[in-house]
Amino acid sequence: MKTIVVGGVAGGASAAARLRRLDEKAEIILLERGGFISFANCGLPYYIGGRIVEQEALTLQTPESFKARFNVDVRIMSEAVSIDREKKLVAIKNHATGEEYQESYDRLILSPGAEPLRPPVGGEGSSRVFTLRNIPDTLKIKSFIAANKPKTAVVMGGGYIGVEMAENLREAGLEVTIVEMADHLIAPLDYDMACVLQQYMRMGGIKLLLKNGVKQITDTGSGLHVELTEGAVDCDLLILSVGVRPESGLAVAAGLEVNQRGAIVTDNKMATADNDIYAVGDAVEVVDFVTGSPAFIPLAGPANRQGRIAADNIAGLGSSYSGTQGTAVLKVFEMTVATTGLNEVAAQRAGIDYDKTYGFPASHASYYPGATNMGMKILWDKKTHRLIGAQIVGFDGVDKRMDVLATAIRFGAKVTDLVGLELCYAPPFGSAKDPVNLLGFVAENVITGKVKQFFWHDVPNLPTDGSVTLLDTRTKDEVAEMGAIPGFVNIPVDELRQNLDSLPKDKPVYVHCLSGQRSYIACRILTGNGYDCYNLAGGFKLYQAIKANEGAT
C-alpha cells in the first residue's frame, strides 16, 4: 500500500505518523512545499514577542527526525501541483531544483491547510505588511522588527491570531492598535464576555478601534498610512489577520467536491467523494458537534484527530470523526480566554430556544492566597436542558474549567448534571463547590423556578416611573467605590430583612449585587416574604465592564 500525504503540520504529519504505527510495511510519502513539515504554528506569535526565545523550539520534527522515527519519505520544497484521479498519479514540482515529476498512489491524503485572507485594500508589495501562517512569515516579522525598530503597529482583525499578535507586538515594545469590523473581539465570544477582555486589553495599552475597517493601505516610504471607514491611523507595520480560507485549489482542479466557502467535503471517515482520497485539517468542511450542521472551524486539535482518523481508515480500522465543537483557549498578557460550543449568535442562527446564566466565582478557595475571579457564561437548550456552550474569561484555572465543560458537552450532559460533578478540591486549586458546580447550581435554580433572571441588556428598559422596585444589595463601601446603576436604591443584603417594610409588595423587585450571588440570596429572602423578584445575571461586575466599553478606544 502506497500513500501520499500532501501537506504536513497538524493534519498531514499526524496522518503519516499514525499510518506508520499501524502498518510498518506501508510506503508513505509526505510532500511539503515549504521547508518545515511539523512546526508549532500556534506558538509563532510568542516567538515574535520574545516569550519563546529559540527558533528551533518551533520545529517539532525535522525531515531527518521524522524519517528516522517513522520511516516516512519526507520531501520538502515539493509541491503537489495536480492529481490524475483516473491514473492515480500526483504531479509534483521540486521548488529547490525546478524538477517536475509524477508519483503514483494507492491512497492520497490532502492536508493543504488554510491561507490568510488578503482583502483588496492595498499594501500588497509593501515590506511593512505581513500575514502570519508559517515559520518563514514569522522570521520576516521578527527580522523586520530587529532591523527597523518600529514603534507602532496596526493589527487588522481581532480574532485569535490578531489578538495574540497584538499582545506579542506590545510585549516587543510597540504601540499597537487593533482594527476590527465587528463590535467586539474574538467572534466565538459573545459581546458581553468580550467586554471583560477588551477592558483588560485597554488597561494593557492596546488601542481598540471596533466597528471600524481598513479601506486602504498606503506605503509612504517611511511608514504606512491606513485609511479606515472612520478616520485614519499611521503605523510602522501592519499585520493582516482577517481570517483564513481553505487552500483547496488542488482538490477543486481534481474535481473533488467543495462547499460554497471552498472547504473540501468529506464523510465522517475523512474520505472525499473519491474513496481513495482523504482530506483533513483546515481545508475541510466539518460538522458542528452541537448543531449537526456543516461548518468551517480551523483548529489544530481537530486537524490532528482528523489525520489520525484518515490513517485509521486507510489501515482498515473503523474510526469516524464525530464533529468539531470549537473548543479554544487564548492567552492575553496574564488573562486567559476560553470557549466551547455555541455562543448566543450561533444558537440563534441554529434556531435553538436557549437560556443562559453567568458567574464570577473565585479560581480557588478565597482564603488561600492568589485567588482571582473568573467571568463564566453558559448556554443550554430550554427544552432538553442540554449544555450547548460555555465562555470563560479570567486569570487562573480557566483552562481546566473549560476542559470540564467541553467534556460535558461532548458527552451530551444536561446543564443540571454540572451540579453532581465531583471535581478536585484543595484550597490552592479549587473550592468545595467548584466554579463548574456553581454554574450548575445557578442554572438549576433558574430551571426549577427558584430564581428569575434579568440581564444587562434589559437594564436600560427597566421602568423608571416607580412601577417597579430597583434594589442594589452591595455594601455601602462597594457602592461608594464603584458607583451605581442609576435608579437602584442601596440596601445591603445583610440589612434587607430589617428593611422589608420599606419595599412595597405589589411591585416587582429587580435586584443586583456585584456578581449575582448575594442578590440571589436577596431574591430568596424577598420571594419567601411574598415579593416577585428578579436577579441581575452577572451582576454589577458584568454591567460595569459593558458600560466601560461604550465609547472606549
Side-chain angles (χ1 to χ4, degrees), residues 360-366 368-374 376 394-398 400-401 424-431 433-435:
F360 282 89
S363 56
H364 60 250
S366 56
Y368 187 89
T372 59
N373 291 95
M374 62 181 81
M376 307 179 75
F395 295 94
D396 179 50
V398 169
K400 76 171 185 175
R401 272 58 184 233
C424 289
Y425 164 57
F429 304 105
S431 301
K433 296 177 182 177
D434 189 84

Side-chain angles (χ1 to χ4, degrees), residues 35 37 53 217 242 306 396 407 419 424 438 446:
I37 61 162
V53 178
I217 302 169
V242 294
Q306 293 160 12
D396 179 50
T407 303
V419 170
C424 289
L438 291 174
V446 172

Side-chain angles (χ1 to χ4, degrees), residues 33 39 41 44-45 47-48 114-145 153-157 161-162 164-166 169 217 224 237-245 247:
R33 71 180 177 192
F39 59 89
N41 51 359
L44 300 180
Y47 178 66
I48 293 169
E115 60 182 342
L117 291 169
R118 294 194 66 109
V121 293
E124 292 84 354
S126 174
S127 62
R128 297 175 178 272
V129 178
F130 303 91
T131 58
L132 182 65
R133 180 188 183 187
N134 51 37
I135 289 181
D137 292 341
T138 308
L139 298 181
K140 286 179 184 177
I141 298 171
K142 186 84 168 178
S143 297
F144 181 88
I145 292 174
V154 166
V155 177
M156 182 180 171
I161 296 299
E164 287 178 340
M165 279 303 305
L169 290 170
I217 302 169
L224 296 172
L237 70 89
L238 183 142
I239 307 292
L240 288 171
S241 182
V242 294
V244 296
R245 61 185 171 201
E247 196 163 348

Side-chain angles (χ1 to χ4, degrees), residues 415-426:
V415 68
T416 49
D417 291 332
L418 301 180
V419 170
L421 294 180
E422 186 175 338
L423 304 174
C424 289
Y425 164 57

Side-chain angles (χ1 to χ4, degrees), residues 366-386:
S366 56
Y367 60 82
Y368 187 89
T372 59
N373 291 95
M374 62 181 81
M376 307 179 75
K377 178 179 183 178
I378 53 172
L379 309 180
W380 68 90
D381 187 313
K382 281 186 179 180
K383 295 178 182 177
T384 65
H385 300 159
R386 178 190 176 199

Side-chain angles (χ1 to χ4, degrees), residues 190-192 291 342-356 377 379-380 388 456-457:
D190 284 316
Y191 173 79
D192 45 23
T291 67
L342 305 183
N343 60 15
E344 290 197 59
V345 173
Q348 292 163 9
R349 189 184 302 122
I352 298 174
D353 185 16
Y354 67 92
D355 209 340
K356 61 183 177 180
K377 178 179 183 178
L379 309 180
W380 68 90
I388 60 171
W456 60 268
H457 46 77

